Amino acid sequence: MFLYCGIACRRKSFWCYRLLSTYVTKTRYLFELKEDDDACKKAQQTGAFYLFHRLAPLLQTSAHRYLAPRHSLLELEGLLGKFGQDAQRIEDSVLIGCSEQHEAWFALDLGLDSSSSTSASLQKSEMEAELKGSFIELRKALFHLNVKDASLLFTAQALLHWHHTHQFCSRSGQPTRKNMAGSKRVCPSNNIIYYPQIQVNLRELEAAAWFSHDEVATALRRKGPNIQQQNETFPFWLPPKLAIAHQLIKEWVEKQTHSSLPA
């Protein structure tokens, strides 16, 4: 019995440390790509691209679910060439994550005006016919996506939207430039750096607050109805388990738990 418990504990510890190691390695790799334009450009050679059209992701139907297809750099260059676009447009893509094998994932919106070239936006219907899919509003497709795809697509949509609305410096009025990964924009005239950032939009939210990892983890373990009331014991309630917001919060808690394990 004691031997069995010891083996079980060692196995659990092994998998926890393995998850921690994978998480740390991925985080370091993504940080490198965000800070080094050359490294990011190199990662595009073996990476994969999710395509959008006016912030709506390209999706394909499979067994009553939506799948988010990914395209290689070579496929994307061929697609752009077929529609009379130059490969420079790929510079508008943004880094949104990577696999455990360090395959970098990017997102590119072909429906928004390009900031890297003079090419106009591509027509939605022509793109859908060529790619054998549909550009569908993300919120409408939400419950037909798996959690992994939904998380990546929401990240991509938010980042693409931020870049589209922050193309000019608020101080000089001059055009800003995106770094290769899309983790920041810089004004060449005064070197001001702009970063994407979680600010409260009071037109969409009634209230917002910060919560610690322990508070969120406690909320995940709590069972009960989703009510709007707040008290000192339970400061907030999470969205229902079927909601994508619940799954994203759960994923964040699990990642933070692994990263806090002792070395």
Side-chain angles (χ1 to χ4, degrees):
M1 181 67 177
F2 289 109
L3 177 61
Y4 175 79
C5 290
I7 294 175
C9 289
R10 283 197 295 272
R11 286 179 177 175
K12 182 177 181 180
S13 177
F14 169 77
W15 284 110
C16 287
Y17 283 121
R18 182 174 179 178
L19 287 172
L20 172 61
S21 176
T22 300
Y23 176 75
V24 171
T25 301
K26 285 176 60 176
T27 301
R28 288 175 175 170
Y29 179 62
L30 289 173
F31 179 79
E32 177 188 3
L33 299 187
K34 291 177 181 178
E35 295 300 316
D36 189 331
D37 282 355
D38 291 334
C40 187
K41 194 172 185 66
K42 182 178 179 180
Q44 290 181 346
Q45 303 295 321
T46 56
F49 294 79
Y50 291 86
L51 299 183
F52 285 70
H53 190 281
R54 295 191 179 277
L55 303 179
L58 174 71
L59 300 175
Q60 295 174 339
T61 304
S62 175
H64 305 292
R65 294 189 66 83
Y66 284 130
L67 299 178
R70 295 182 296 183
H71 298 79
S72 68
L73 179 64
L74 185 62
E75 291 173 331
L76 186 53
E77 289 175 339
L79 178 69
L80 291 173
K82 187 169 186 176
F83 285 95
Q85 304 277 310
D86 57 66
Q88 187 179 4
R89 192 180 186 110
I90 298 175
E91 294 182 7
D92 290 329
S93 64
V94 294
L95 176 69
I96 58 174
C98 72
S99 68
E100 294 182 0
Q101 292 73 34
H102 288 185
E103 177 192 57
W105 298 326
F106 300 87
L108 176 63
D109 197 310
L110 298 174
L112 299 176
D113 292 335
S114 174
S115 60
S116 63
S117 68
T118 58
S119 301
S121 62
L122 296 177
Q123 294 299 315
K124 179 180 177 181
S125 58
E126 296 177 1
M127 295 288 294
E128 290 177 329
E130 177 66 24
L131 295 169
K132 297 179 174 60
S134 301
F135 291 102
I136 302 174
E137 187 178 338
L138 190 50
R139 294 188 181 276
K140 293 181 179 179
L142 186 58
F143 293 105
H144 299 282
L145 288 165
N146 62 49
V147 174
K148 179 182 176 181
D149 282 345
S151 177
L152 280 173
L153 293 178
F154 267 110
T155 298
Q157 185 187 66
L159 196 52
L160 289 169
H161 179 264
W162 182 84
H163 280 286
H164 183 60
T165 57
H166 289 76
Q167 296 185 34
F168 295 90
C169 177
S170 61
R171 179 173 298 180
S172 68
Q174 297 298 312
T176 56
R177 294 178 181 173
K178 178 184 76 68
N179 69 334
M180 188 62 65
S183 59
K184 60 186 176 183
R185 298 189 72 91
V186 180
C187 177
S189 66
N190 52 32
N191 292 323
I192 293 179
I193 301 177
Y194 296 91
Y195 295 97
Q197 56 184 347
I198 41 189
Q199 292 177 340
V200 180
N201 188 333
L202 297 179
R203 293 178 299 178
E204 297 183 0
L205 302 177
E206 293 182 358
W210 292 101
F211 298 99
S212 68
H213 173 272
D214 290 340
E215 289 175 321
V216 179
T218 299
L220 278 172
R221 293 191 296 267
R222 186 166 64 248
K223 296 181 179 180
N226 281 329
I227 58 177
Q228 299 299 321
Q229 297 177 353
Q230 295 183 351
N231 54 54
E232 295 181 359
T233 305
F234 303 126
F236 69 100
W237 291 85
L238 292 177
K241 291 184 178 181
L242 292 178
I244 188 62
H246 182 101
Q247 299 301 323
L248 294 177
I249 293 171
K250 181 180 179 182
E251 181 183 358
W252 176 81
V253 169
E254 291 173 349
K255 286 184 177 180
Q256 295 299 314
T257 300
H258 296 323
S259 65
S260 63
L261 292 174

